[in-house]
Amino acid sequence: MLRLNINGKDYDVDVEPETPLLWAIRENVGLTGTKYGCGIAQCGACTVHVDGVATRSCSFPVSGAVNTKITTIEGLAQNGILHKVQKAWIEHDVAQCGYCQPGQIMAAVALVRKVQREGRAITEADLDTIRNVCRCGTYPRIRDAIKAGAQRM
């Protein structure tokens, strides 16, 4: 039995220590916003925050998440209020199929927070560091939404 803190709540999960965090989140805890895409940490659909760092949960073992704070897309909004990046996502009509969007948003929020800690504005080079895959190809809208969300934070 391993204890995980997800979105501020503790969960005991009965899984093998090497089980990918993705499956503990989805199957054991029941939070299905984090998506399975490729299973090899390439597409980013499974991105969550582990202690504030964007992490591909499909290849991150549960044992590595013990004694950390995990945030999923379900935990990004606070008190029913969407995160500023989530609001920008809606305003820029980013999603088409929507499958990759939770991972895209989690990667974007981690990037925006990093840039803000550094005390600077987000750049095109920063946006290039997000490598999440969108099969619908909404990359221009994704980039616009990230910039808009960053300006509001």
Side-chain angles (χ1 to χ4, degrees), residues 27-117:
E27 302 297 325
N28 296 87
V29 177
L31 298 174
T32 58
T34 305
K35 305 298 185 200
Y36 173 79
C38 66
I40 56 172
Q42 295 297 305
C43 75
C46 65
T47 303
V48 298
H49 295 172
V50 177
D51 284 340
V53 177
T55 303
R56 307 269 170 111
S57 64
C58 72
S59 64
F60 191 83
V62 170
S63 60
V66 173
N67 297 319
T68 69
K69 292 188 183 298
I70 302 158
T71 306
T72 68
I73 192 69
E74 291 93 345
L76 200 55
Q78 294 296 308
N79 300 316
I81 299 170
L82 292 178
H83 187 279
K84 291 180 188 324
V85 171
Q86 288 175 301
K87 289 179 184 177
W89 229 256
I90 293 166
E91 292 166 5
H92 284 81
D93 198 26
V94 173
Q96 283 188 22
C97 84
Y99 194 83
C100 71
Q101 299 310 301
Q104 296 274 6
I105 291 169
M106 296 305 287
V109 169
L111 172 64
V112 169
R113 287 178 177 161
K114 174 187 174 288
V115 167
Q116 287 185 327
R117 281 191 306 274

Side-chain angles (χ1 to χ4, degrees), residues 88-89 92 94 104 108 122-131 138-150:
W89 229 256
H92 284 81
V94 173
Q104 296 274 6
I122 200 161
T123 66
E124 293 296 320
D126 292 321
L127 296 173
D128 291 342
T129 67
I130 294 184
R131 298 277 192 225
T138 64
Y139 298 110
R141 291 187 296 207
I142 289 169
R143 293 170 76 91
D144 289 345
I146 295 170
K147 288 186 272 188

